[in-house]
Amino acid sequence: MILELDCGNSFIKWRVLEASQAAVFAEGVVDSDVALLGGLHSLAGLSLQHCRLVSVRAQEETNRLVGVLVAAFGVSISCAAPAREMAGVRNGYEEYARLGLDRWLAMLGGFQLASGACLVLDFGTAATADFITADGEHLGGFICPGMPLMRNQLRTHTRKIRYDDVAAERALESLVPGRTTAQAVERGCTLMLRGFAQSQLELARSYWGGDFSVFLTGGDAELVADALPGARFVPDLVFVGLAMACPLS
């Protein structure tokens, strides 16, 4: 079995694959290394041979997690690394190693699935957009605060904005003007995300007309999906790229 990990700023997304069939044996999202180990240890029939991971955490944190996994399961671990070019995609950053690895892998996955020009939109802690031409040139991208960052900034810096997660979820039942603080904040932030997504779509159209694919990924992608008709939601897009960056054969 193969353990795949996407170690983000806020959460660790994981899944276990049956090596022979590449079928998903189990998957989940956790908020700590301890929770990850607990979830894995609870799986009946787990037999890990390999692990591959991508991390945007500090190197010290990543090294600590690698050490814990090796001690717990005795697996060989392959970590995704920056590259100037891979799988037909050319990194467009002036300093290629400074491009976030999760973005890089999502681009590799999107380009492979598109077999042509594509726009990759990822809505997690941050919202990102990346543009890849039909011949694999990364034109660059954009980063802005995602839903968690926008929400937390308002809660932290505005004294009267206080509400719980239940109120936040209910607030998103529609996008009409809010009549409570929770509704106003959640709907306002959602509209900002949707506006970001639509502006990226217009820019892609200015480059390629209608000859390109749009990929959505990330935990909050569903908030913008209906604003981008024709976009393809691929929740595991980073894992698609991870398998390309860290092949096991």
Side-chain angles (χ1 to χ4, degrees):
M1 292 179 175
I2 303 167
L3 173 63
E4 297 185 324
L5 300 174
D6 177 4
C7 305
N9 293 299
S10 303
F11 298 100
I12 300 174
K13 185 175 182 180
W14 64 271
R15 70 179 186 180
V16 176
L17 301 179
E18 296 275 9
S20 59
Q21 303 173 356
V24 177
F25 173 77
E27 59 186 344
V29 179
V30 293
D31 60 3
S32 69
D33 297 357
V34 172
L36 172 64
L37 288 179
L40 293 173
H41 281 306
S42 70
L43 295 175
L46 182 69
S47 178
L48 296 179
Q49 285 82 43
H50 304 283
C51 172
R52 54 190 172 208
L53 69 82
V54 55
S55 175
V56 297
R57 298 173 163 192
Q59 192 60 52
E60 181 180 345
E61 291 181 87
T62 303
N63 291 342
R64 185 163 54 245
L65 175 58
V66 167
V68 167
L69 291 170
V70 171
F73 301 105
V75 291
S76 61
I77 298 180
S78 178
C79 299
R84 187 174 297 281
E85 183 172 352
M86 182 178 291
V89 180
R90 296 180 297 283
N91 191 317
Y93 259 31
E94 294 176 359
E95 298 178 61
Y96 75 90
R98 297 186 65 84
L99 175 67
L101 280 171
D102 51 349
R103 286 174 62 194
W104 175 238
L105 297 185
M107 287 193 297
L108 295 182
F111 185 71
Q112 183 188 59
L113 295 175
S115 298
C118 60
L119 166 62
V120 177
L121 298 169
D122 190 340
F123 294 94
T125 302
T128 64
D130 285 287
F131 300 78
I132 304 96
T133 67
D135 64 355
E137 186 72 27
H138 174 220
L139 300 179
F142 298 96
I143 305 172
C144 73
M147 195 70 170
L149 286 178
M150 289 192 285
R151 178 191 294 125
N152 291 340
Q153 283 295 301
L154 286 169
R155 284 178 170 177
T156 300
H157 297 289
T158 308
R159 292 182 179 179
K160 292 186 177 180
I161 294 182
R162 297 289 185 273
Y163 56 89
D164 59 23
D165 292 340
V166 173
E169 186 174 347
R170 289 176 178 169
L172 290 175
E173 292 173 354
S174 78
L175 289 177
V176 300
R179 291 178 175 268
T180 67
T181 298
Q183 291 174 355
V185 170
E186 294 295 315
R187 295 173 188 179
C189 291
T190 297
L191 289 174
M192 290 190 73
L193 279 189
R194 291 161 71 92
F196 172 78
Q198 290 168 334
S199 70
Q200 305 314 300
L201 183 61
E202 288 305 310
L203 183 55
R205 285 172 176 159
S206 74
Y207 289 147
W208 305 309
D211 190 17
F212 65 97
S213 301
V214 181
F215 294 97
L216 293 177
T217 193
D220 287 320
E222 63 182 18
L223 296 178
V224 305
D226 64 344
L228 299 172
R232 181 175 173 184
F233 176 50
V234 185
D236 295 327
L237 190 60
V238 169
F239 286 146
V240 175
L242 180 61
M244 299 164 66
C246 301
L248 298 176
S249 60

